[in-house]
Amino acid sequence: MRKSILTTLTTAALLSSPSSIIAQDNLYPPPPPAGAASVRVVDVRAKPSKVPVKVGEKALNTSAEPTRFTYVDQGDKQVSSPGFSASRKIVAGQFYTLMVGNRTSVLYHEQKPPLTQALVVLYNLSLLPDVSLKTDDGTTTVIEPQKPFQVASQPVNPLKAGFSVYQGDTKIGDVPAAQLQRGASFGIFVMSSGSTPRVVTAPGPSLSR
């Protein structure tokens, strides 16, 4: 089944317009400068705080949706938010997503996308079990079910594609068609406020910028 979707995507990629891929280039963040990493924040609390999260001495604003990447100097940093503080290692040249919860924070190291394909990344930043990513018609699984606060990825060919998000056999959200870029990642975030799940998207690291 996985092989069939990749074959289908390969065929569609041959027919896609190169100009449409280039037009999306400004969506993807540039790499961090020497001696620094890029960090973005996702606040999954029911009521996101207006108090910035600190990574070392760097204050990062929070949002209910993924923020833009901000440069942070490399090294062992104290990550602190209201009710939480822990030491995390920041490596130069890397991208990170910092999830902020009520009593915990998780620093996810972003996987670099392949040079010849796009990388679709599913972040289950919710308490929902068995969250998976499927094709937009729901017939083929792209990313297998993930436990709460797990992240998984799947390389695909660069083309315009939409997806659907499922919890078990129930669809909980749609991802509108977007142009996936070669050498770049596309993040799909599942969050829940109370009993209502939310699905949002944000571009991730790109090798071409």
Side-chain angles (χ1 to χ4, degrees), residues 56-127:
E57 297 302 315
K58 188 81 170 185
L60 306 179
N61 292 327
T62 64
S63 172
E65 297 189 4
T67 64
R68 290 182 175 273
F69 283 97
T70 300
Y71 299 142
V72 174
D73 290 339
Q74 65 180 340
D76 293 323
K77 303 292 182 181
Q78 198 70 18
V79 176
S80 58
S81 62
F84 176 83
S85 181
S87 179
R88 297 286 186 266
K89 186 176 183 62
I90 303 295
V91 178
Q94 302 301 307
F95 286 80
Y96 298 90
T97 295
L98 176 62
M99 185 209 74
V100 179
N102 288 319
R103 294 183 178 85
T104 186
S105 294
V106 180
L107 190 66
Y108 296 100
H109 179 222
E110 296 290 336
Q111 179 183 346
K112 287 187 176 180
L115 285 171
T116 59
Q117 291 181 296
L119 187 70
V120 176
V121 187
L122 176 65
Y123 302 77
N124 182 15
L125 305 185
S126 75
L127 294 174

Side-chain angles (χ1 to χ4, degrees), residues 7 44 89:
T7 302
V44 300
K89 186 176 183 62

Side-chain angles (χ1 to χ4, degrees), residues 1 31-32 41 68 75 87 92 94 110 141 146 154 162 169 182 200:
M1 187 68 74
V41 180
R68 290 182 175 273
S87 179
Q94 302 301 307
E110 296 290 336
T141 299
Q146 299 298 306
Q154 172 64 45
D169 296 327
R182 179 182 291 106
V200 299

Side-chain angles (χ1 to χ4, degrees), residues 143-162:
I143 295 179
E144 298 294 334
Q146 299 298 306
K147 296 178 181 178
F149 306 112
Q150 282 191 333
V151 176
S153 61
Q154 172 64 45
V156 298
N157 289 298
L159 75 161
K160 191 172 185 178

